[in-house]
Amino acid sequence: MIRKIRRKKSKLLTWAFLFFVANYILLKTTSKINLKTNKSKIDSKINKETVGEQTFKKLDEGKTNFEVCQLPKLNYGLPLEDLKPMPKCTVERNWGNVDSLDHKWTLDKEIQTRIDSIRCKYRRVERIDDFKVNLGSFNELKDGDIVRDDVFEVECDGKNKSNGNQVKFDNLYVQVVNNNPKDKFNIGKDSSGCFPYNVMLLSYDSVSRVSFVKRLTKTFDFIKNTENFFILTGYNIVGDGTPQALIPLFTGYTEEELPSALKNDPNGKYVDEAYPFIWKELHKKNFTSIYLDDWPQVGAFSYRMRGFKNHAPKHYPKHYQLYMMQRNRRLKKSNDFCNGDTKRHKIMMNLLTSFKQLYRNRQSNLAIMHYVENSHDSNDHLHWLDDDIFEFLNNGFREHLFDDTIIFLNNLAKLTSPFDIHATVRDLTCSKKEIKNDRQRSISLFGKISIYRSCEDIGIAEHFCTCVRDWKSKNINTKEIKEVAEFAVESINSVSSSKRDLCQVLGLKKIISAEKLDLDGKVVYRVSFITYPNNGIYETIVYQGKNEGFEFISDNFSIKSKNDISRIDSYGEQPWCVAKFGSNPGLMLDLRKFCFCYIKKKFNLFCVIFNSC
């Protein structure tokens, strides 16, 4: 329940999520609203409701005969390896910069004390789609000129005052430009009397809760010691990979429930044509939006998928990241994690700040950033973000970019998922909607989430369920466990069998660990093992006996789905023959974690097997 409060028109409401794609979500509430648990009488009965052919249990906190999800106790005492210092940017100082609000180009005064006769030119970089850019013609750029292109390239030359030598500077710039400014305050209640909040979603790829606490110490201390930050310790992923983390959050559905947007599918559509992204609906409600990501070569919606065509967020500088990657490769720039004199992750945060400044008091807005570079391959560079995330949050609140506060009071230690975040965003933006065949897996964090909620209720496979179970360790040398592991390897081979001309048959090399569980009368195994010849490390959940509806079934064992088989080491270049999406028409499966390609002539066998190419 949300209690109405009086608010000044000069203030906006912002709900900010800072989350890390793993099992961790932080909430910062920014409006003085008290969210109270509904005090109506709790019905102690179990109500069964039907949605189509689906039935689900509606549980409440009055029940005592249902299992409560016990969350794991994590070990934060593990020592970190030596933290590498952040490298300095190769470019000591940009020759000029563009103002984030008035878009005026200004030559740097300190540079002008060293460089004489500076002449600059610039050209526009235009997005064609998520894979191609168009470069405009160069035009003269003078000190004080206004540049209203969101992405542009600058080249300058001049004379070094100390020795008279010619010197050059070049850089790629990105900014948030509102080419359809709204001069009047344009925020208010909708026709139903609902007041829309702003929403900000910040995510960093492949970061666990322990890694966040240990590596982002300043940020965590700020969160821990700042009023109205809350941690969803029961947040649970619903699948393996970044799209499986983001698609439910942005759409309320899983990838499998939506039309195909795959490059390899001849009938695949662009993601904005296939997916009901929430910003499409918010745009109709007069919201503006921004979506920032990096590493276009592994983009969540452009690696396996066809990317966006027309209905992307209003501000979507994908072409900045795309052209920067192409440009750095062409100019053979060393990877200092910078663009010009600024770290690339800092540039993304600056864009978010500019976006919030530009639309403050003007227009309701949705801001999304998913950042990959510092944590995707490993978390060794994650700590480099700490100072800048802290500064972004601290300055944002101090400068009233996130004015007004919501106090969130319940659901903190209950089982939640990306579906619930989607429902919460809808709740906050006055866009509530029933999701077809939802089975109440999407519950707003302002609603009532039962302590008896289970992974099964949400649709989370046992393989990804964070609830602590009574797993019993088993001897890995028994015939029983060997048969379980061999069935798992057979299942992996059955996935890659459609491309046997490309993918080698794998065998069981070693069993690492095995556990057994009695789950509602079913015997379940969790097994980790190594395969050969790829030295791949896998983990999966295997059910005893035949189970109808499962993807892999033998006389003795079953595995629900290929999605329940995880490869937990880096596969590197091993699946090179199936990793170039779009080059294998009709190959609908993502075989990267299952396929060990026949060796390329240019690759050394040792380096492919041990991922050292």
Side-chain angles (χ1 to χ4, degrees):
M1 180 182 293
I2 297 178
R3 187 177 67 200
K4 294 182 179 179
I5 62 170
R6 296 178 64 186
R7 59 175 68 87
K8 296 180 180 179
K9 278 191 174 182
S10 62
K11 291 186 177 181
L12 300 187
L13 302 172
T14 298
W15 179 275
F17 299 85
L18 173 62
F19 75 99
F20 299 79
V21 179
N23 276 351
Y24 202 41
I25 278 210
L26 308 169
L27 301 183
K28 172 60 182 176
T29 60
T30 53
S31 167
K32 293 179 181 176
I33 294 179
N34 189 8
L35 303 179
K36 296 182 178 179
T37 305
N38 192 334
K39 299 299 183 183
S40 61
K41 187 176 180 180
I42 297 176
D43 181 5
S44 62
K45 295 181 180 179
I46 302 174
N47 298 314
K48 287 191 175 181
E49 298 183 19
T50 302
V51 182
E53 296 181 357
Q54 303 277 2
T55 62
F56 62 88
K57 293 179 180 179
K58 197 175 187 180
L59 305 177
D60 61 62
E61 297 181 15
K63 295 299 294 181
T64 58
N65 58 334
F66 288 93
E67 183 180 355
V68 175
C69 174
Q70 299 294 329
L71 301 176
K73 294 181 180 179
L74 303 178
N75 184 359
Y76 296 100
L78 294 173
L80 284 178
E81 66 278 9
D82 292 336
L83 297 178
K84 301 175 183 177
M86 182 164 55
K88 293 183 178 180
C89 294
T90 305
V91 176
E92 181 182 342
R93 197 176 186 92
N94 288 349
W95 284 24
N97 288 291
V98 63
D99 187 89
S100 62
L101 293 179
D102 65 15
H103 313 300
K104 181 185 293 185
W105 169 260
T106 304
L107 289 174
D108 184 81
K109 287 183 169 52
E110 197 276 333
I111 288 292
Q112 292 182 81
T113 65
R114 295 189 278 123
I115 309 297
D116 199 9
S117 304
I118 295 176
R119 296 178 303 173
C120 295
K121 58 183 180 180
Y122 81 103
R123 64 177 173 183
R124 179 185 185 186
V125 180
E126 185 179 15
R127 175 182 174 270
I128 297 176
D129 57 25
D130 279 3
F131 310 97
K132 297 188 291 291
V133 301
N134 181 58
L135 300 178
S137 301
F138 274 107
N139 294 291
E140 184 180 14
L141 180 61
K142 296 180 180 179
D143 192 23
D145 281 353
I146 303 298
V147 182
R148 297 198 63 84
D149 297 308
D150 58 349
V151 182
F152 60 98
E153 184 177 21
V154 172
E155 293 182 0
C156 301
D157 59 46
K159 286 186 178 181
N160 190 317
K161 289 184 178 181
S162 63
N163 56 25
N165 290 339
Q166 283 289 123
V167 286
K168 294 185 177 182
F169 167 81
D170 62 83
N171 196 28
L172 185 64
Y173 291 84
V174 59
Q175 59 178 341
V176 179
V177 180
N178 181 10
N179 287 313
N180 295 292
K182 297 180 181 297
D183 295 325
K184 295 183 179 180
F185 185 85
N186 199 22
I187 303 171
K189 294 180 180 179
D190 64 11
S191 57
S192 66
C194 179
F195 192 97
Y197 292 73
N198 298 329
V199 175
M200 184 163 58
L201 300 160
L202 312 180
S203 65
Y204 293 87
D205 201 90
S206 305
V207 180
S208 70
R209 187 187 313 174
V210 171
S211 188
F212 165 69
V213 172
K214 299 282 287 185
R215 297 172 190 272
L216 301 175
T217 54
K218 185 180 290 189
T219 301
F220 184 70
D221 285 343
F222 175 77
I223 290 165
K224 186 172 59 176
N225 298 315
T226 302
E227 185 182 9
N228 301 335
F229 264 112
F230 296 92
I231 300 171
L232 294 187
T233 55
Y235 186 76
N236 202 121
I237 59 174
V238 297
D240 195 1
T242 303
Q244 285 65 37
L246 297 183
I247 292 173
L249 197 154
F250 295 160
T251 71
Y253 296 95
T254 65
E255 181 181 347
E256 291 75 18
E257 293 169 336
L258 295 169
S260 172
L262 297 175
K263 291 178 181 177
N264 284 343
D265 184 356
N267 298 315
K269 300 179 179 179
Y270 288 97
V271 289
D272 53 312
E273 295 175 336
Y275 292 0
F277 289 110
I278 191 167
W279 53 76
K280 294 163 73 172
E281 187 172 340
L282 294 183
H283 291 164
K284 297 176 183 177
K285 299 174 72 69
N286 199 38
F287 271 70
T288 189
S289 57
I290 188 169
Y291 183 91
L292 304 173
D293 64 356
D294 65 323
W295 272 26
Q297 69 273 26
V298 294
F301 300 107
S302 57
Y303 183 40
R304 292 186 297 110
M305 302 176 194
R306 294 179 178 269
F308 292 96
K309 185 179 182 181
N310 297 316
H311 301 289
K314 297 292 186 181
H315 297 277
Y316 180 58
K318 184 80 166 186
H319 46 309
Y320 165 70
Q321 297 287 348
L322 187 62
Y323 183 56
M324 178 169 58
M325 181 181 68
Q326 297 171 355
R327 186 173 178 273
N328 289 349
R329 188 184 301 127
R330 185 184 77 242
L331 298 175
K332 298 181 180 179
K333 289 182 176 289
S334 61
N335 184 18
D336 55 1
F337 293 83
C338 300
N339 185 38
D341 64 3
T342 308
K343 291 296 177 183
R344 290 192 283 262
H345 71 263
K346 176 69 170 175
I347 292 173
M348 293 293 99
M349 293 179 188
N350 291 344
L351 287 175
L352 283 178
T353 299
S354 298
F355 176 80
K356 298 301 292 183
Q357 289 173 336
L358 187 62
Y359 291 105
R360 178 166 53 183
N361 303 336
R362 291 177 180 270
Q363 195 169 2
S364 298
N365 55 79
L366 169 68
I368 300 170
M369 182 184 76
H370 179 67
Y371 203 75
V372 170
E373 182 174 34
N374 288 69
S375 55
H376 181 274
D377 290 347
S378 79
N379 283 183
D380 289 348
H381 304 146
L382 180 63
H383 61 285
W384 296 350
L385 306 176
D386 194 20
D387 287 342
D388 292 318
I389 297 176
F390 163 75
E391 182 181 300
F392 170 76
L393 294 173
N394 189 41
N395 291 347
F397 291 114
R398 189 180 66 235
E399 296 170 9
H400 304 288
L401 288 181
F402 314 139
D403 262 356
D404 288 349
T405 304
I406 297 173
I407 300 175
F408 179 76
L409 295 179
N410 61 351
N411 296 332
L412 296 182
K414 297 177 184 178
L415 189 63
T416 54
S417 78
F419 295 114
D420 302 320
I421 305 303
H422 178 81
T424 305
V425 172
R426 284 193 168 278
D427 202 354
L428 290 164
T429 56
C430 307
S431 306
K432 288 186 179 180
K433 181 181 180 181
E434 293 294 327
I435 304 295
K436 186 178 180 181
N437 294 333
D438 183 72
R439 298 182 303 140
Q440 273 203 334
R441 69 181 178 188
S442 302
I443 302 176
S444 170
L445 299 176
F446 298 110
K448 179 178 175 57
I449 297 178
S450 172
I451 61 171
Y452 302 108
R453 195 184 199 192
S454 68
C455 288
E456 187 179 10
D457 293 332
I458 302 175
I460 299 172
E462 181 64 32
H463 183 54
F464 297 106
C465 185
T466 194
C467 301
V468 175
R469 306 283 198 185
D470 188 23
W471 289 97
K472 305 294 185 184
S473 181
K474 300 295 291 183
N475 186 337
I476 62 174
N477 296 314
T478 63
K479 179 183 177 183
E480 173 190 20
I481 297 304
K482 185 177 180 181
E483 289 177 348
V484 169
E486 286 178 340
F487 172 72
V489 176
E490 290 172 7
S491 301
I492 292 173
N493 284 325
S494 70
V495 177
S496 63
S497 62
S498 63
K499 288 294 179 180
R500 188 58 68 224
D501 58 323
L502 300 176
C503 306
Q504 300 185 47
V505 175
L506 303 182
L508 177 63
K509 180 178 181 180
K510 179 182 178 182
I511 300 173
I512 301 172
S513 65
E515 297 168 294
K516 193 173 182 178
L517 171 70
D518 184 346
L519 182 64
D520 298 328
K522 295 180 180 179
V523 176
V524 183
Y525 302 90
R526 181 163 62 195
V527 60
S528 301
F529 53 92
I530 301 175
T531 56
Y532 70 85
N534 63 340
N535 278 317
I537 304 175
Y538 293 88
E539 181 180 275
T540 190
I541 298 289
V542 179
Y543 288 74
Q544 192 178 78
K546 289 186 176 181
N547 287 270
E548 293 299 322
F550 282 27
E551 185 172 357
F552 308 105
I553 303 173
S554 72
D555 290 338
N556 300 316
F557 304 108
S558 309
I559 295 177
K560 275 189 177 181
S561 166
K562 67 179 73 68
N563 297 326
D564 293 344
I565 304 173
S566 290
R567 179 154 182 185
I568 56 179
D569 67 328
S570 172
Y571 47 70
E573 292 285 350
Q574 291 184 0
W576 63 268
C577 58
V578 295
K580 189 175 181 181
F581 294 96
S583 62
N584 290 292
L587 177 59
M588 306 295 286
L589 300 177
D590 181 2
L591 296 179
R592 285 174 295 166
K593 62 183 178 181
F594 305 111
C595 182
F596 181 47
C597 298
Y598 290 99
I599 307 301
K600 273 184 177 181
K601 288 183 179 180
K602 71 174 184 177
F603 283 148
N604 174 277
L605 178 62
F606 179 88
C607 84
V608 172
I609 292 177
F610 294 98
N611 294 328
S612 59
C613 298

